[in-house]
Amino acid sequence: MSEQTSQFKQIYEEGKEFARLKLEYGKLTVTEKLTMLISSLAIGLISVFLAVIAIFFLSMSAVDWIAESVGRTWSCLIMCGCYLVLICLLILLRKPLVVNPMARLISRIILK
């Protein structure tokens, strides 16, 4: 009887250790996935910020270039119209351009 008790005790201890190791593995996995998600988000935000600055300077250059032909006011209005068209396209194509890539990125990070 004592031998069975010690076997049950050993099985219990091994089960407890297994559960502890699984919990630790789960914590490490969550930490890794959150790190990947946050770093991807940070890189994306920095890239968007730098792209906005670049687009601003390109827009100002385009306004100056167009202003030589039609005048400063009209060139600003033309550039504004171009941005309005881009905004409309982005709204119309938001699912394939924004939603689907974000869903793929998040699911790839979480399910990997």
Side-chain angles (χ1 to χ4, degrees):
M1 192 67 129
S2 166
E3 187 177 313
Q4 275 186 331
T5 306
S6 72
Q7 286 179 347
F8 285 132
K9 194 172 197 175
Q10 183 181 4
I11 290 172
Y12 173 75
E13 291 298 324
E14 287 178 7
K16 202 164 89 172
E17 180 68 14
F18 178 76
R20 187 188 66 76
L21 290 175
K22 280 297 234 182
L23 181 65
E24 190 70 26
Y25 178 73
K27 287 179 186 178
L28 290 173
T29 302
V30 167
T31 303
E32 177 189 15
K33 291 180 186 302
L34 279 175
T35 302
M36 294 293 292
L37 189 61
I38 291 171
S39 65
S40 297
L41 182 64
I43 289 172
L45 288 174
I46 291 169
S47 298
V48 166
F49 178 72
L50 293 175
V52 166
I53 292 172
I55 289 171
F56 172 76
F57 284 112
L58 287 172
S59 296
M60 290 296 105
S61 299
V63 164
D64 288 340
W65 183 59
I66 295 170
E68 293 175 5
S69 302
V70 295
R72 183 85 174 156
T73 304
W74 283 107
S75 65
C76 288
L77 289 173
I78 291 170
M79 190 56 61
C80 180
C82 291
Y83 280 122
L84 289 175
V85 168
L86 284 174
I87 289 170
C88 289
L89 284 174
L90 184 62
I91 290 171
L92 291 173
L93 300 172
R94 71 182 170 270
K95 190 166 185 176
L97 293 178
V98 178
V99 174
N100 290 345
M102 287 296 289
R104 276 194 303 271
L105 173 70
I106 292 171
S107 65
R108 187 177 63 228
I109 289 173
I110 291 175
L111 299 176
K112 185 177 175 185

